[in-house]
Amino acid sequence: ATRFNPRAADARWQAVWAERESFRADDNSPKPRAYVLEMFPYPSGRIHMGHVRNYTMGDVVARHKRMTGHEVLHPMGWDAFGMPAENAAMEKGVHPGGWTRDNIAAMRTQLKALGLAIDWSRELATCEPTYYGQEQRLFLDLYAAGLVYRRESAVNWDPVDMTVLANEQVIDGRGWRSGAVVEKRKLNQWFLKITDFAEELLEGLGALDHWPDKVKLMQENWIGKSRGLRFRFDFVGSSDGFEVFTTRPDTIFGASFAALSPDHPIAERLAQDSPELAAFIAECRATGTAAAEVETQEKRGFPTGLSVVHPLDHDRHLPVWIANFVLMDYGTGAIFGVPAHDQRDFEFAWKYELPIARVVAPAGDEDAPVTGEAYTGPGVIVNSHFLNGMSVEDAKAAVIARAEHDGWGEGTTVWRLRDWGVSRQRYWGTPIPIIHCDACGPVPVPRDQLPVVLPEDVSFDVPGNPLDRHPSWKHVDCPTCGTPARRETDTLDTFVDSSWYFLRFASQPDDRPFDPAVVARWLPVGQYIGGVEHAILHLLYARFWTRALKHIGLIDVAEPFAGLFTQGMVTHETYKAPDGRWLAPEEIDNGIVTATGEAVTVGRVEKMSKSKRNTVDPAPILDGYGADAVRWFMLSDSPPERDLPWSEAGIEGAWRFVQRIWRLVDGLERADGQDAAVDRKVARTVVGVGEDIDSLSFNKAVAKLYELVGVLEKAGPSRSKTEAISVLIRLVAPMVPHLAEEAWASLGEDGLVSDASWPAVDPALLVDDTVTVALQVNGKLRDTIEVPKGLAKDSLETMALGSEKVRRMLDGAAPRKVIVVPDRLVNIVA
Ligand code: ANZ
Ligand code: ZN
């Protein structure tokens, strides 16, 4: 007996597939099409286990689609712009381009070693002018359509490094390198009008039947459509005031204060006369005012000493505060606070000893006191004049109607979604194709001058944007009037690059971004697979770009991804040394730190991450066990949407299973004769595994294949077994393709198993081999029995008369007549 040797087989079959261009997608094929896509990787330098899991799953789907008669598009590329390349440039003195391209080369080799069924002829990298030049065209198309604009917006400014920082470079309000307190600076920046599509992007979720509900919910919340009331508060004794927005007009009688954002113009005005307020505002700004940060921060406020008049009870005055949890860019930047029914307001009122008055009570419990937190559930309105006794929904409508009738407010909708700021003050990104002229303003770069290529000769020895300080790059003449002008030195957010790459995979002509006719053939992507960390921004931006391009007539598809799957993470135990250092798995042997002999503390199983040092590098594992064992392990133990704990035992188990399949093939003794049990098992497995792959339940498919292999190992030689092994090889081919090719050749089958069809099944073999027969006494159902199909009449009669329940009904009497309908029923006439 021989062993399957992946070291030889993996490379051999990968070379065969490459040479035959087995996985090249034909734009002109008459077959039904399947576009299978995994989120393309950032070329960080090495693939990690998360990549391996992601790309293995996609590969199984792609290979299975090929076998079921589809023309499959399964491409791969590189999300190649972004900050890590610039960080490498600053730290190691390498050029971001060289660093990125080296990483791509290394990772391409690693991905190829996994044996993925990818059409490498369509490979692209977003950092190449062939890609980003086309992106510049699309940007200008959107600009011409009025979907791009420029306005002042705040950035994080590091005063020591003199550079703009991305949000993730601001840690606890300080620059990640310099440690200096970060300031907000206003810069002119470019925005895409995603808010024009808010309603469409929300509505469109409804049709995405093959998306996880949780992702749709996250998108819905991010878009954040809220209906409510917008109204004006007047300062006491003044006709001056400000507008507030509320989604809970029903709680208006529970208001105990009004609050303005620290960035509200009135707050700024008041600060001119109050150094204390000015200092408070400065502190609020330093700690960040992004929605996510605000939610978690301690609630803080500053009393202005001013009051406003309650619009429905003019004798009531509410104190006006400046509060850190009120955002300037949502609603109107001002609120009224109802501590009993909003948790933020509750915390605020508790701290500053403001009244907490209940106005909504759970039905049937109208006298319930306010407890330690806000009540946000449904109920009946109390303590609220004309609203008393109404439901929350009715009261909302009543207050809006009253406000509109009396003229102090109106019903309105607000969105949480903001326009997408795409300007980045960095080098390694797509140059924004605009020229700034003092006379003409911003002027698009003429089409025949695209692409605007990044200059290669840049330096990273000082902080800031190398494009800005490049001696010549930005100095150009205005395309309109010819006077000296400046190029835009901001580059595009890398999320733009990933917002249309799936279109470019479908079609990549030299002279335009894509051919719409070819795009129409492939899109939408049938199955998109990636990490849930991209559930909000990437998917929303890609949906927006697709809709925007449709809006301007460039494509005819609205939703880019018909099916979405978000896979779980690969996890591993964490380890700590006695001094608290995190330890890598390879530093440990049997609970002991190999180098020092210290005892290891085993921590929780967590997502593999560099910071906890619990990563396992796929490369040596691939070398040791081969691609198929790794792939099999990635698919086996856990449902694909759950976390997969990496274990040495798991990969060894996968390796042994691969060898078991091989032994079936290698030890095959051909023989004649049918084995009905084998035939039936095979037929069921074919159907089951196909369904499992279609529903991405890979672990279930794996379990069925284990079972089948178990049955075949026990079965004696027969024609059925010989055929079963050939079928088995086709069933495992999407998962362990190298072994499958090797086995296919060894069995003497024609061609490649990668080109074989998914096995056909004789439907007769799927039919149950037992039937349920009804037992009646005088036409009434008394019992049922499970019998082999086709059981003879007299055997059925004997079994029926043996039934305990039937005997009880007969009570010792002999039956007068027995009517037997085989496979259906036995009626005993007493
Ligand atoms: C009174 C009230 C009573 C509120 C109550 C809530 C509960 P969503 O639903 O997420 O859209 N709000 C309005 N503008 C705000 C801003 N700029 N910054 C922070 N909070 C703001 O949230 C709408 C609610 O959030 C509004 O309804 C307002 O508080 C607050 F029992 O008004 B509410
Ligand atoms: Zn000009």
Side-chain angles (χ1 to χ4, degrees), residues 3 621 624-626 628-634 636-637 645-660 663 706:
R3 250 179 26 155
I621 312 265
Y625 292 92
D628 291 338
V630 173
R631 292 169 61 114
W632 187 261
F633 175 64
M634 286 291 149
S636 37
D637 290 347
W646 172 267
S647 76
E648 200 73 23
I651 181 71
E652 260 157 31
W655 160 262
R656 279 196 303 273
F657 186 69
V658 167
Q659 296 300 339
R660 275 170 68 191
R663 275 199 299 278
Y706 270 119

Side-chain angles (χ1 to χ4, degrees), residues 65-271:
K65 285 283 179 206
R66 274 175 60 78
M67 295 181 80
T68 52
H70 296 81
E71 185 67 28
V72 173
L73 173 54
H74 186 215
M76 181 61 71
W78 310 95
D79 189 10
F81 274 139
M83 261 173 11
E86 284 189 58
N87 293 341
M90 284 184 266
E91 276 156 24
K92 305 188 190 115
V94 292
H95 191 278
W99 183 84
T100 303
R101 291 181 189 106
D102 287 350
N103 287 348
I104 288 175
M107 289 174 72
R108 183 192 298 116
T109 305
Q110 289 192 302
L111 286 184
K112 288 195 171 177
L114 277 172
L116 304 175
I118 281 179
D119 180 353
W120 285 101
S121 75
R122 297 181 189 236
E123 180 183 355
L124 57 81
T126 57
C127 65
E128 302 303 341
T130 46
Y131 184 84
Y132 71 69
Q134 300 301 339
E135 185 165 301
Q136 291 168 341
R137 278 174 206 282
L138 294 175
F139 179 87
L140 291 181
D141 289 338
L142 297 181
Y143 183 78
L147 292 173
V148 178
Y149 66 98
R150 207 158 93 105
R151 71 165 153 85
E152 272 213 325
S153 162
V155 292
N156 307 303
W157 177 258
D158 185 321
V160 170
D161 272 355
M162 307 265 282
T163 190
V164 176
L165 299 177
N167 284 334
E168 52 280 23
Q169 294 175 314
V170 181
I171 294 155
D172 294 332
R174 289 170 183 275
W176 64 316
R177 259 164 208 284
S178 70
V181 173
V182 169
E183 298 167 5
K184 296 274 171 199
R185 274 222 178 165
K186 293 217 160 167
L187 289 184
N188 259 316
Q189 307 198 60
W190 293 98
F191 285 82
L192 297 187
K193 273 198 189 167
I194 189 171
T195 54
D196 275 12
F197 294 78
E199 188 82 63
E200 266 190 53
L201 288 166
L202 184 64
E203 296 276 298
L205 293 171
L208 297 176
D209 297 332
H210 300 286
W211 277 43
D213 287 336
K214 66 162 192 246
V215 173
K216 287 191 273 190
L217 189 64
M218 284 191 264
Q219 297 240 326
E220 189 181 321
N221 289 338
W222 189 265
I223 297 168
K225 182 180 188 174
S226 293
R227 264 178 268 271
L229 171 70
R230 200 184 167 108
F231 71 90
R232 204 185 141 75
F233 269 133
D234 289 330
F235 284 115
V236 172
S238 154
S239 59
D240 197 15
F242 55 88
E243 289 216 304
V244 296
F245 169 72
T246 176
T247 48
R248 295 294 306 274
D250 55 300
T251 64
I252 194 161
F253 288 107
S256 58
F257 64 96
L260 300 166
S261 164
D263 295 318
H264 197 285
I266 292 179
E268 287 177 2
R269 208 167 70 215
L270 294 172

Side-chain angles (χ1 to χ4, degrees), residues 408-525:
W408 49 268
E410 58 184 12
T412 176
T413 299
V414 302
W415 301 83
R416 190 167 295 283
L417 187 65
R418 296 280 89 103
D419 274 340
W420 174 13
V422 292
S423 280
R424 295 292 178 273
Q425 294 72 30
R426 320 215 74 87
Y427 166 72
W428 195 232
T430 300
I432 296 179
I434 296 281
I435 292 166
H436 297 284
C437 169
D438 288 337
C440 312
V443 179
V445 173
R447 302 272 164 159
D448 59 2
Q449 291 171 27
L450 294 179
V452 177
V453 177
L454 284 173
E456 284 285 318
D457 53 333
V458 283
S459 70
F460 293 88
D461 41 1
V462 281
N465 181 355
L467 290 180
D468 213 25
R469 59 171 186 267
H470 189 279
S472 59
W473 185 77
K474 72 175 172 185
H475 301 293
V476 288
D477 290 340
C478 169
T480 308
C481 72
T483 62
R486 300 164 322 280
R487 279 192 195 288
E488 172 64 67
T489 57
D490 285 354
T491 51
L492 289 172
D493 180 2
T494 57
F495 272 120
V496 173
D497 309 335
S498 52
S499 288
W500 72 284
Y501 76 108
F502 42 89
L503 302 174
R504 184 81 182 161
F505 273 145
S507 161
Q508 40 188 296
D510 292 336
D511 57 343
R512 52 203 164 132
F514 42 74
D515 177 341
V518 179
V519 165
R521 279 181 230 164
W522 289 113
L523 270 280
V525 173

Side-chain angles (χ1 to χ4, degrees), residues 226 245-248 251 325-327 330-331 333-336 338 341-342 344 416:
S226 293
F245 169 72
T246 176
T247 48
R248 295 294 306 274
T251 64
F325 65 92
V326 184
L327 310 170
Y330 185 62
I335 65 158
F336 67 83
V338 182
H341 303 293
D342 181 285
R344 295 165 299 182
R416 190 167 295 283

Side-chain angles (χ1 to χ4, degrees), residues 469-663:
R469 59 171 186 267
H470 189 279
S472 59
W473 185 77
K474 72 175 172 185
H475 301 293
V476 288
D477 290 340
C478 169
T480 308
C481 72
T483 62
R486 300 164 322 280
R487 279 192 195 288
E488 172 64 67
T489 57
D490 285 354
T491 51
L492 289 172
D493 180 2
T494 57
F495 272 120
V496 173
D497 309 335
S498 52
S499 288
W500 72 284
Y501 76 108
F502 42 89
L503 302 174
R504 184 81 182 161
F505 273 145
S507 161
Q508 40 188 296
D510 292 336
D511 57 343
R512 52 203 164 132
F514 42 74
D515 177 341
V518 179
V519 165
R521 279 181 230 164
W522 289 113
L523 270 280
V525 173
Q527 186 62 60
Y528 196 33
I529 307 180
V532 75
E533 67 276 15
H534 292 299
I536 299 181
L537 291 183
H538 161 56
L539 291 170
L540 193 67
Y541 291 151
R543 293 181 62 221
F544 159 62
W545 266 74
T546 306
R547 282 176 184 272
L549 296 180
K550 178 172 195 288
H551 179 77
I552 62 176
L554 288 190
I555 51 176
D556 197 28
V557 53
E559 286 291 339
F561 313 121
L564 173 72
F565 187 81
T566 52
Q567 99 250 13
M569 293 177 298
V570 184
T571 58
H572 196 280
E573 279 178 342
T574 47
Y575 307 107
K576 263 191 183 171
D579 64 1
R581 265 179 313 130
W582 294 106
L583 295 163
E586 61 273 13
E587 290 178 280
I588 295 163
D589 190 28
N590 255 320
I592 299 292
V593 186
T594 325
T596 62
E598 296 160 307
V600 173
T601 314
V602 178
R604 280 196 316 199
V605 174
E606 288 187 56
K607 175 189 173 158
M608 288 188 180
S609 77
K610 289 211 186 87
S611 61
K612 302 254 163 85
R613 302 199 63 210
N614 62 338
T615 56
V616 175
D617 183 358
I621 312 265
L622 272 168
D623 276 349
Y625 292 92
D628 291 338
V630 173
R631 292 169 61 114
W632 187 261
F633 175 64
M634 286 291 149
L635 300 166
S636 37
D637 290 347
S638 305
E641 66 279 7
R642 298 254 193 87
D643 288 351
L644 171 70
W646 172 267
S647 76
E648 200 73 23
I651 181 71
E652 260 157 31
W655 160 262
R656 279 196 303 273
F657 186 69
V658 167
Q659 296 300 339
R660 275 170 68 191
I661 300 176
W662 179 251
R663 275 199 299 278

